[in-house]
């Protein structure tokens, strides 16, 4: 949307030297050609590594290394546009920018209404002249100057933005959508001025009474403005998801200091401050509960409607709601570091990215406007030279129709609008998609590899049972004490489960004298003068534990595996002592989520380091038929490549830390997060809540979004391919040559007149409709089913 520069002031221009990924607001863009030109201008600056411009958000994302921001601004200015500092996480700047946009929208609405009233009068009067005969008696010397006086403010005030936009790019030898509108309406307006004040010029050339087209120029401006007004409103709707997230931010916090409460703005809260949150209040910052207990509604972050119980030591996040109890929270992350701020940043980054299919539209946009001018010029020349009388009039009107009907706007909006709505809808479901490429690839996922721990299961295994062999020299509590002491320095989840069991049994733990982790087998430790072996059968066999005792442990292990429990064998001083079984609870809804994936014809495979029998038991309980067990973390990436070699599009789902190589190797890496680390995951797709059903939701959203993109591109290309030839006069050739001089049917006369030429007013309405239709089609995604 472009407005008069002197009527709405702009925020500050950028200064200083910067590195990293920066976001800027771009003013003055109207079509895909503008996007291409701004990207080219930014990329030409030394130190710019990449530049991406989004017409739907009027923003540019630029990756730079030690680049003076003034050089970026100057490059964009030379291209004919304005580069301004983005509001980013500055709430005041966001409010200021929002106020400016509202002012721009109000100004555009006033211009549209004014142009519409004048155009309606002029078009209506011209139509009446063909219906009511006595109006023909009104002298031309009176009517035409009256029409000129009415159309002049439409052309120069309401249509001023087209001239300013055309001048900004034209002074640097470029053209854009504004150029098409400015030249087209000016041609009709200038022709009418001459016909009004010097009619003899055309009468001497064509031998006919000169006609005026003030109604045409005014109506064209009205329809173009109306299209931009509707487009601006639709653009605002595509950003609803981000705006709703921003609106969640609390404004004030109640801080405790020396036993007293102080209410301060949230932006003034510092890490380490103690914040008091009463029942029914919004939690203002990310932090750790230090006193109190309550159920917290985290649905705005995770999409999960069931409140989560919070106790001292547990984390809470800003913008969530405290439902029942009073909490004291020590702030750990404020401002841009909060989970909500990082989610907003991720969504905005995704909405500013480009899908691979956008490349086709970009290449066409690069030559679109010059080609349209060439077609318009050729149309004028051919009809003036070869057309029927009045040839000059037909040549001008057909050339104007070509200029007006051509619409690079739809090309520029086809994919960005769908991406904005699609990624925003995903965020509302607790799915963060980092870029448009991942959104596009997710459509084709046909194989999902699920890491068991933390994805299918809770990721917090617990000790289920302790078995001792006959003749063992220890009690169950002593066995737990020894193993927990040996494992207390390990980060393995099973080790943590045994340590928690020891704490529950209230046994005293010691530190091992020596500790050795054997990859894929277990640990060897020395404790209280005893050598302790904790792990699988291979570890015990290699260390010389007798086969008959190992067979007894294997029998117990087999029974545990059939129950879905993981067996951990223990030997003391070379003698088998017993077995500890550990199980990880299956996540609620895991089976339903896997069923949803299968309903989308997606192949589901479970990966786990557990032994085959245990893995099969877990897989069977959730409806998975394919299992790869006893997988080491370093082997998961190779497994991903193996499934890719079978020709599928593979998604790897894991915790984003141990599974990082596999996530990176997959076509689409999907990380499961728990809030604080959600913006730190390496995968292009992150589930804010570890719910397998969200994977199916992400695939459904991707498929809907891509379908919408193709529909938009099909409409944008098809519209121009069909209507530009019609505007150039193909309709006349059809009626005059193909149909052997047949007259235009009465119902089509408002569109094609009496001879088959496309009415420039209809061309303007069609051009406005093309952009609005693309926007409207994208907005349908907001209500599309993803279940």
């Amino acid at each position: 949307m472009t407005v008069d520069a002197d009527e709405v002031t702009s925020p500050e221009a950028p200064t200083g030297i910067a590195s990293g990924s920066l976001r800027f607001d771009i003013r003055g863009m109207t079509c895909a050609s503008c996007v291409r030109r701004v990207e080219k201008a930014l990329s030409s600056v030394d130190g710019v590594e990449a530049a991406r411009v989004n017409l739907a958000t009027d923003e540019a994302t630029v990756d730079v290394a030690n680049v003076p921001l003034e050089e970026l601004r100057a490059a964009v200015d030379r291209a004919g546009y304005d580069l301004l500092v983005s509001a980013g996480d500055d709430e005041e700047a966001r409010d200021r920018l929002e106020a400016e946009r509202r002012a721009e929208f109000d100004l555009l609405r006033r211009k549209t209404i004014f142009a519409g009233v004048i155009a309606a009068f002029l078009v209506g009067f011209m139509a009446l002249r063909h219906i009511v005969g006595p109006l023909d008696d009104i002298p031309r010397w009176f009517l035409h100057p009256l029409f000129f006086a009415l159309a002049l403010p439409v052309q120069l005030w309401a249509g001023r933005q087209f001239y300013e936009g055309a001048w900004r790019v034209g002074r640097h030898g470029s053209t854009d959508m504004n150029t098409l509108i400015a030249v087209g309406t000016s041609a009709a307006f200038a022709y009418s001025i001459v016909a009004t004040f010097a009619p003899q010029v055309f009468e001497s050339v064509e031998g006919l009474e000169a006609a005026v087209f003030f109604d045409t120029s005014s109506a064209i401006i009205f329809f173009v403005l109306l299209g931009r007004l509707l487009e601006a409103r639709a653009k605002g709707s595509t950003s609803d998801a981000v705006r709703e997230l921003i609106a969640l931010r609390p404004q004030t916090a109640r801080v405790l200091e020396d036993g007293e409460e102080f209410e301060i703005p949230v932006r003034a809260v510092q890490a380490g401050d103690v914040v008091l949150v009463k029942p029914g209040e919004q939690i203002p910052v990310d932090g750790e509960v230090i006193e109190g207990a309550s159920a917290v509604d985290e649905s705005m972050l995770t999409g999960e409607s069931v409140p989560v119980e919070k106790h001292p030591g547990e984390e809470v996040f800003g913008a969530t709601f405290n439902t029942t109890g009073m909490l004291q929270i020590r702030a750990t992350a404020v401002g841009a570091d909060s989970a909500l701020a990082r989610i907003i940043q991720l969504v905005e980054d995704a909405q500013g990215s480009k899908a691979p299919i956008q490349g086709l539209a970009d290449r066409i946009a690069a030559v679109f406007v010059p080609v349209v001018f060439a077609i318009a010029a050729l149309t004028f020349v051919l009809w003036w030279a070869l057309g029927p009388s009045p040839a000059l009039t037909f040549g001008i009107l057909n050339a104007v129709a070509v200029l007006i009907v051509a619409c690079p706007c739809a090309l520029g909006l086809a994919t960005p609008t769908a991406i904005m709505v699609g990624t925003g809808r995903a965020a509302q479901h607790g799915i963060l998609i980092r870029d448009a490429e991942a959104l596009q690839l997710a459509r084709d996922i046909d194989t999902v590899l699920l890491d068991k721990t933390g994805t299918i299961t809770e990721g917090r295994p617990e000790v289920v049972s302790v078995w001792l062999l006959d003749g063992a020299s220890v009690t169950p509590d002593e066995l737990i004490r020894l193993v927990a002491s040996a494992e207390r320095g390990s980060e393995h989840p099973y080790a943590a489960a045994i340590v928690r069991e020891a704490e529950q049994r209230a046994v005293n733990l010691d530190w091992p004298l020596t500790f050795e982790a054997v990859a894929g087998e277990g640990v060897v430790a020395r404790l209280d003068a005893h050598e302790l072996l904790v792990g699988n059968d291979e570890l015990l066999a290699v260390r010389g534990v007798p086969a008959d005792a190992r067979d007894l442990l294997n029998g117990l292990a087999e029974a545990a595996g059939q129950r879905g429990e993981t067996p951990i064998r223990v030997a003391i001083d070379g003698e088998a002592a017993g077995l500890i079984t550990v199980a990880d609870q299956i996540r609620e809804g895991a089976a339903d989520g896997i069923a949803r994936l299968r309903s989308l014809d997606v192949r589901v495979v479970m990966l786990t380091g557990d032994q085959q029998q245990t893995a099969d038991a877990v897989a069977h309980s959730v409806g998975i038929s394919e299992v790869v067990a006893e997988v080491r973390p370093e082997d998961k990436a190779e497994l991903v490549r193996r499934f890719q070699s079978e020709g599928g599009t593979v998604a790897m789902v894991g915790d984003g830390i141990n599974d990082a190589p596999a996530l990176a190797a997959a076509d689409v890496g999907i990380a499961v997060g728990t809030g604080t680390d959600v913006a730190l995951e390496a995968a292009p797709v992150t589930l804010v809540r570890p719910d397998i059903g969200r994977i199916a939701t992400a695939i459904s959203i991707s498929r809907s979004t891509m379908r919408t993109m193709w529909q938009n591109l099909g409409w944008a290309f098809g519209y121009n391919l069909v209507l530009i030839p019609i505007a150039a006069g193909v309709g006349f050739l059809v009626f005059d040559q193909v149909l052997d001089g047949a007259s235009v049917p009465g119902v089509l006369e408002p569109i094609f007149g009496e001879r088959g030429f496309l009415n420039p007013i209809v061309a303007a309405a069609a051009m406005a409709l093309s952009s609005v239709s693309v926007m409207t089609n994208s907005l349908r995604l907001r209500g599309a089913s993803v279940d």
Side-chain angles (χ1 to χ4, degrees):
M1 177 170 54
T2 307
V3 297
D4 298 327
D6 59 352
E7 295 186 67
V8 179
T9 59
S10 298
E12 60 274 5
T15 58
I17 297 177
S19 294
S21 183
L22 310 175
R23 182 183 285 116
F24 299 99
D25 291 313
I26 305 294
R27 298 292 178 88
M29 296 191 301
T30 57
C31 64
S33 300
C34 304
V35 170
R36 185 81 172 184
R37 191 169 297 108
V38 174
E39 286 182 340
K40 187 176 180 180
L42 288 169
S43 298
S44 68
V45 178
D46 289 339
V48 172
E49 299 167 356
R52 299 172 299 280
V53 177
N54 190 326
L55 180 61
T57 59
D58 293 323
E59 286 187 334
T61 302
V62 189
D63 298 332
V64 300
N66 297 320
V67 174
L69 297 182
E70 177 60 28
E71 290 188 15
L72 297 177
R73 188 205 61 77
V76 173
D77 180 69
R78 288 193 296 272
Y81 307 92
D82 296 321
L83 180 145
L84 306 168
V85 175
S86 177
D89 194 58
D90 187 335
E91 293 184 32
E92 292 184 1
R94 281 183 183 271
D95 292 342
R96 185 170 62 252
L97 182 61
E98 187 63 28
E100 289 177 359
R101 286 174 176 166
R102 284 197 298 269
E104 291 175 355
F105 185 84
D106 289 342
L107 176 61
L108 181 60
R109 182 171 53 192
R110 291 196 301 272
K111 289 184 174 183
T112 303
I113 293 172
F114 177 79
V117 171
I118 299 299
F121 174 81
L122 294 175
V123 172
F125 192 92
M126 297 297 285
L128 283 174
R129 292 187 67 185
H130 294 288
I131 300 172
V132 184
L135 292 179
D136 289 334
D137 296 334
I138 302 177
R140 186 179 63 181
W141 60 262
F142 173 76
L143 279 182
H144 289 185
L146 174 63
F147 292 165
F148 166 76
L150 291 172
L152 184 62
V154 175
Q155 194 74 30
L156 298 185
W157 179 67
R160 174 181 170 184
Q161 63 196 65
F162 304 126
Y163 290 106
E164 291 182 338
W167 167 249
R168 278 198 301 267
V169 297
R171 61 182 175 169
H172 302 296
S174 299
T175 55
D176 66 1
M177 186 68 191
N178 288 307
T179 315
L180 296 177
I181 304 301
V183 172
T185 58
S186 295
F189 192 74
Y191 178 96
S192 301
I193 290 177
V194 176
T196 297
F197 298 107
Q200 62 275 11
V201 173
F202 294 129
E203 291 170 356
S204 63
V205 173
E206 301 190 293
L208 297 173
E209 179 180 324
V212 295
F213 301 102
F214 291 119
D215 58 331
T216 299
S217 62
S218 296
I220 288 172
I221 289 174
F222 163 68
F223 279 117
V224 175
L225 290 175
L226 178 63
R228 292 195 178 180
L229 185 71
L230 296 175
E231 180 183 311
R233 177 171 291 173
K235 279 184 179 181
S237 297
T238 61
S239 300
D240 279 350
V242 172
R243 191 157 34 248
E244 288 169 6
L245 286 171
I246 293 172
L248 292 174
R249 290 177 167 178
Q251 301 300 311
T252 61
R254 190 179 289 107
V255 174
L256 290 177
E257 187 174 336
D258 297 329
E260 294 188 38
E261 297 179 17
F262 299 92
E263 190 167 298
I264 64 174
V266 167
R267 60 178 177 270
V269 177
Q270 302 293 317
D273 286 350
V274 176
V275 177
L276 179 66
V277 185
K278 296 180 180 180
E281 292 184 342
Q282 202 172 14
I283 295 175
V285 294
D286 293 5
E288 177 185 345
V289 177
I290 59 175
E291 186 176 319
S294 181
V296 176
D297 179 357
E298 297 181 340
S299 59
M300 62 286 301
L301 291 181
T302 66
E304 177 56 56
S305 59
V306 178
V308 181
E309 292 292 332
K310 299 292 182 179
H311 300 90
E314 295 186 309
E315 294 176 307
V316 292
F317 309 107
T320 58
F321 281 91
N322 179 28
T323 62
T324 54
M326 185 176 296
L327 297 175
Q328 286 188 23
I329 299 164
R330 178 174 288 108
T332 57
V334 296
D337 295 326
S338 68
L340 178 62
R342 289 181 291 172
I343 288 173
I344 292 171
Q345 183 69 44
L346 280 173
V347 175
E348 289 182 330
D349 288 345
Q351 292 183 337
S353 63
K354 287 191 176 185
I357 64 170
Q358 176 68 25
L360 175 62
D362 288 345
R363 288 191 293 273
I364 292 176
V367 298
F368 187 90
V369 175
V371 167
V372 169
F373 268 111
I375 293 173
L378 182 62
T379 297
F380 171 74
V381 171
L382 290 178
W383 284 108
W384 189 17
L386 306 175
S389 180
L392 178 61
T393 300
F394 284 144
I396 290 176
L397 288 180
N398 288 341
V400 168
V402 169
L403 292 173
I404 299 304
V405 83
C407 187
C409 304
L411 289 176
L413 294 169
T415 66
T417 53
I419 289 169
M420 289 184 68
V421 179
T423 53
R425 185 149 172 74
Q428 290 172 333
H429 285 270
I431 303 162
L432 302 183
I433 300 175
R434 288 180 175 271
D435 54 53
E437 183 175 4
L439 182 66
Q440 179 172 335
L441 285 172
R443 172 197 61 174
D444 299 320
I445 292 173
D446 53 26
T447 302
V448 171
L449 307 183
L450 293 171
D451 180 59
K452 178 182 76 72
T453 304
T455 304
I456 296 174
T457 62
E458 295 283 356
R460 185 182 169 88
E462 301 292 342
V463 172
V464 177
S465 60
V466 180
W467 299 87
L468 297 179
L469 294 184
D470 290 340
S473 60
V474 293
T475 64
D477 280 359
E478 180 66 9
L479 187 70
I480 288 290
R481 187 190 74 82
L482 290 171
V483 175
S485 296
E487 295 268 28
R488 66 187 303 190
S490 173
E491 295 181 355
H492 195 283
Y494 292 163
I498 295 172
V499 171
R500 286 195 298 272
E501 179 68 15
E503 292 172 349
Q504 291 175 7
R505 292 175 180 242
V507 297
N508 296 320
L509 302 184
D510 297 315
W511 285 102
L513 300 175
T514 62
F515 178 89
E516 176 189 358
V518 182
E521 295 182 5
V523 300
V524 179
R526 182 162 292 278
L527 188 79
D528 297 343
H530 297 294
E531 183 185 64
L532 208 65
L533 305 177
V534 182
N536 58 22
D537 185 59
E538 287 80 0
L539 176 67
L540 272 60
V542 169
R543 297 287 173 158
V545 176
D548 56 345
R550 294 196 346 262
D551 288 341
L552 292 174
L553 289 180
N554 289 340
L556 293 172
E558 183 177 353
Q562 291 174 349
R563 298 190 300 269
E565 300 167 10
T566 299
I568 301 172
R569 298 162 176 84
V570 183
I572 302 173
D573 296 328
E575 297 292 334
L579 189 81
I580 299 174
T581 66
V582 178
D584 194 359
Q585 296 298 314
I586 292 173
R587 285 193 182 279
E588 183 180 355
D592 290 340
I594 290 165
R596 285 188 60 198
L597 285 171
R598 294 170 70 89
S599 72
L600 295 175
D601 295 325
V602 174
R603 176 187 182 188
V604 182
V605 183
M606 187 180 85
L607 308 183
T608 178
D610 285 343
Q611 65 179 21
Q612 189 70 51
Q613 194 174 42
T614 303
D616 288 340
V618 173
H620 177 73
S621 68
V622 294
I624 295 177
S625 58
E626 289 189 74
V627 178
V628 182
E630 301 178 31
V631 179
R632 299 182 182 185
E634 60 269 24
D635 296 332
K636 291 178 182 177
E638 186 57 39
L639 274 171
V640 169
R641 285 186 281 270
R642 192 189 84 187
F643 281 98
Q644 287 172 325
S645 68
E646 297 175 6
T649 300
V650 177
M652 173 67 195
V653 185
D655 63 13
I657 302 171
N658 295 331
D659 300 317
L663 290 171
D667 297 294
V668 181
I670 302 177
V672 292
T674 55
T676 54
D677 61 347
V678 70
L680 304 177
E681 301 287 359
V685 178
T686 299
L687 308 182
V688 178
R689 181 174 176 268
D691 177 0
I692 294 174
R694 305 294 170 92
I695 304 169
T697 301
I699 294 174
S700 296
I701 289 175
S702 171
R703 292 178 179 179
S704 298
T705 303
M706 291 307 302
R707 185 163 54 248
T708 300
M709 284 188 199
W710 282 114
Q711 290 169 351
N712 288 349
L713 287 172
W715 167 259
F717 287 130
Y719 164 89
N720 285 293
L721 287 174
V722 171
L723 288 188
I724 288 178
I726 292 176
V730 169
F732 172 83
L733 298 179
V734 170
F735 288 105
D736 189 65
Q737 301 295 324
V738 178
L739 300 181
D740 198 22
S743 60
V744 176
V747 69
L748 295 180
E749 279 195 20
I751 299 174
F752 294 104
E754 297 177 355
R755 308 290 295 273
F757 295 110
L758 182 66
N759 187 334
I761 296 176
V762 175
M767 188 275 287
L769 177 63
S770 67
S771 295
V772 174
S773 64
V774 165
M775 301 288 292
T776 303
N777 191 44
S778 295
L779 289 173
R780 287 192 311 111
L781 281 169
R782 294 190 302 176
S785 174
V786 295
D787 296 325

